[in-house]
Amino acid sequence: GESVGLHLPTLSVQEGDNSIINCAYSNSASDYFIWYKQESGKGPQFIIDIRSNMDKRQGQRVTVLLNKTVKHLSLQIAATQPGDSAVYFCAENNNAGNMLTFGGGTRLMVKP
Amino acid sequence: EPEVTQTPSHQVTQMGQEVILRCVPISNHLYFYWYRQILGQKVEFLVSFYNNEISEKSEIFDDQFSVERPDGSNFTLKIRSTKLEDSAMYFCASRKARANNEQFFGPGTRLTVL
């Protein structure tokens, strides 16, 4: 069925290293994807988005890569910091921006 | 920076009771949403609201749920007769315009049904 999911539930990285969080989607008609960060006790916070007519988009210390051939999305965080520790969700936005379909989440743990 | 606010932060209720969760979306936003997150699980869409009516709802959003925008600032989610399985974090979100897909989330209300 149509779904948005994540490969790994937990990712542990050393402070200063780069982090890569992966996401797979199964709906080939998906055309818009978002990464959210959720810290403990808070709501999801928008990080970066990408449309299907792009394969890469960069923000401040973050890069999202989209591979439509294999229906794979990744979030790269450069020079990971302790403040990056959180759960990261990919989400698919459909129906011209209406409902969001979230993946299961990956917990990023940054070791000092 | 404008933000979505939600009250209360934590609501405890007895099974069968009605609860109303309140949200104040960002003031110039036009689209409003409710999502829920059961502990340890992913965030799930409940309902979207635009122009004073529901535009889309999920299977979770059954007859026990309703939403309302009673005035120009509040957006509420009502659960008429709560069940144990309604225990979850409930997030409100808002979006500015159709051309802008970014949804801004509030901090959530933790609902505990006993």
Side-chain angles (χ1 to χ4, degrees):
Chain A
E2 299 174 357
S3 66
V4 179
L6 290 166
H7 291 307
L8 298 173
T10 303
L11 176 65
S12 184
V13 300
Q14 202 70 40
E15 181 179 356
D17 288 350
N18 296 335
S19 302
I20 300 176
I21 301 171
N22 297 302
C23 177
Y25 64 96
S26 57
N27 183 2
S28 57
S30 300
D31 59 4
Y32 181 69
F33 304 91
I34 315 102
W35 281 102
Y36 279 91
K37 173 185 180 182
Q38 186 178 26
E39 296 174 283
S40 181
K42 297 183 179 180
Q45 178 186 4
F46 175 93
I47 301 173
I48 192 167
D49 59 0
I50 189 167
R51 296 193 178 277
S52 59
N53 60 352
M54 303 171 67
D55 53 18
K56 180 179 180 179
R57 191 167 188 220
Q58 287 185 295
Q60 187 178 16
R61 280 201 308 118
V62 295
T63 301
V64 55
L65 299 178
L66 176 63
N67 185 331
K68 295 180 286 294
T69 302
V70 295
K71 290 182 281 189
H72 183 268
L73 189 71
S74 68
L75 176 70
Q76 299 179 1
I77 304 174
T80 314
Q81 302 169 358
D84 295 327
S85 294
V87 176
Y88 290 80
F89 294 93
C90 64
E92 168 196 7
N93 191 242
N94 60 17
N95 290 343
N98 219 14
M99 62 177 285
L100 287 171
T101 300
F102 281 81
T106 291
R107 180 174 300 281
L108 176 65
M109 300 174 63
V110 182
K111 297 178 288 186
Chain B
E1 185 175 334
E3 57 184 19
V4 177
T5 59
Q6 291 184 242
T7 55
S9 58
H10 191 188
Q11 174 85 50
V12 181
T13 190
Q14 295 291 324
M15 187 171 57
Q17 295 296 306
E18 175 183 287
V19 295
I20 298 177
L21 309 183
R22 304 182 188 278
C23 169
V24 178
I26 296 173
S27 63
N28 61 348
H29 285 194
L30 302 177
Y31 297 81
F32 314 111
Y33 307 84
W34 282 102
Y35 292 83
R36 79 170 187 189
Q37 185 179 30
I38 295 172
L39 184 64
Q41 298 186 21
K42 62 183 179 182
V43 178
E44 300 173 289
F45 170 80
L46 291 177
V47 66
S48 59
F49 192 86
Y50 171 71
N51 199 26
N52 287 319
E53 62 182 21
I54 291 173
S55 50
E56 191 169 7
K57 60 182 180 179
S58 71
E59 293 178 353
I60 302 169
F61 194 88
D62 61 22
D63 292 343
Q64 293 299 312
F65 291 86
S66 62
V67 291
E68 191 178 27
R69 188 158 165 81
D71 52 43
S73 61
N74 291 284
F75 180 51
T76 62
L77 174 70
K78 181 192 290 186
I79 309 175
R80 290 188 184 81
S81 179
T82 51
K83 304 184 288 290
L84 295 177
E85 54 264 38
D86 292 328
S87 295
M89 283 289 290
Y90 287 81
F91 294 106
C92 173
S94 69
R95 177 165 69 96
K96 185 174 184 178
R98 184 175 179 84
N100 186 333
N101 284 357
E102 183 177 349
Q103 294 183 23
F104 293 81
F105 283 77
T109 293
R110 180 174 298 282
L111 176 65
T112 302
V113 182
L114 302 177

